[in-house]
Amino acid sequence: MVTEAHPLSRPAVRAPAVRHLGPNWYASVMGTAIVATAGAGLPVHVPGLRAVCAAVWALSFALLVTLLTARALHWTHHRDQARAHLLDPAAAPFYGCLAMALLAVGGGAVTVGRDVIGTGTAVALDTVLFTAGTVVGLAAAVAVPYLMAVHHRIEPGQATPVWLLPVVAPMVSAALGPLLVPHLPAGQPREALLLGCFALFGLSLLATLLMLPLVFGRLLTGGPLPLALTPTLFLVLGPLGQSTTAVGNIADAAPGVVQAPYEQAFAGFAVLYGVPVLGFALFWLCLATALCLRAHRHGMGFAMTWWAFTFPVGTCVTGAAALARHTGLVAFDGLAVALYAVLVGAWATVAAHTVRGLVSGVLLAGPTPVPAAPRRATARTTSGAVR
């Protein structure tokens, strides 16, 4: 005799594979898309690289569609877990990854995806994804800090670089929006978009300047992060490299769009801002690498936080390439190429581990507690955000 399950139990078993699929998975889309866009924008010509980058962009687009579908199933059948993500201070900031995934794939469509789908389709796709990504990014930049202030219970010692994710999303809009400027009607539409991107740059920069001291202070006074969270130190590179990219792209689009002397001012600002910020990014890259090597020696295993090794480094590649364009210095050419080699190696490693984890089912299994940090002030998640 077959007994029919109770109706209330059905939604919990309709899509068990996506129950623990958190918003952090969008980092895989971001990390894949940046490999394509950064490679296509390198200041040196490598035979066959653009074709490879076009294929990688197509992969990032496929990943985005797959994850959007899976996350829709998650919200439909596992709303309790989805709400748990929003109420978990370790998981909620990852909603910024959704915005950045949309923006990264959209920007890649115009940069290199046009070789696959054509310029007209690429511009249309980027318009949709840029608009959606910017709206979601602005919503996350406001909603996540609001939730952290009102609903989450957070101690100062729990600060991690993950807190930067929602406020960095508008910076991605600022960096990729200028790509659409030439496709708008001349005059006010172009100028409005360009200055709007500059406003998004300011919004994200100032919010980052508020968050970053909390993260750095936590690191110095609270000791190393938990092993699974240590790779998130690379997230600090995101606003640094992306803001350098943003001012460079805005300066590229400014001629004929804004009146003098602002046209020249944007070009000057791209160098005067970008050089010191990229210098600090290289300092942080060394610090984060040293701490990750320490964590590896202490037994740090693979987690989805390893995707932090990809997109943030990619923004430094595009930032160095922007400075190469505006200064003509060969040193920035070499820096962009060297960082891109690091990016490709990191992406290949993390992608291989992710595929292996998906095949084995480990990455979609229920969450496990984050290992305790050497010192007491640590973050802990109950939603599987760092799995």
Side-chain angles (χ1 to χ4, degrees), residues 269-281:
F269 183 66
V271 176
L272 296 177
Y273 172 88
V275 172
V277 169
L278 192 61
F280 180 75

Side-chain angles (χ1 to χ4, degrees), residues 159-206:
T160 73
V162 173
W163 289 9
L164 293 169
L165 289 173
V167 299
V168 173
M171 188 66 79
V172 181
S173 294
L176 298 178
L179 300 178
L180 288 172
V181 168
H183 302 284
L184 291 176
Q188 296 241 347
R190 292 186 180 182
E191 186 174 5
L193 177 57
L194 190 66
L195 295 183
C197 290
F198 196 51
L200 291 170
F201 161 82
L203 180 161
S204 182
L205 176 64
L206 295 176

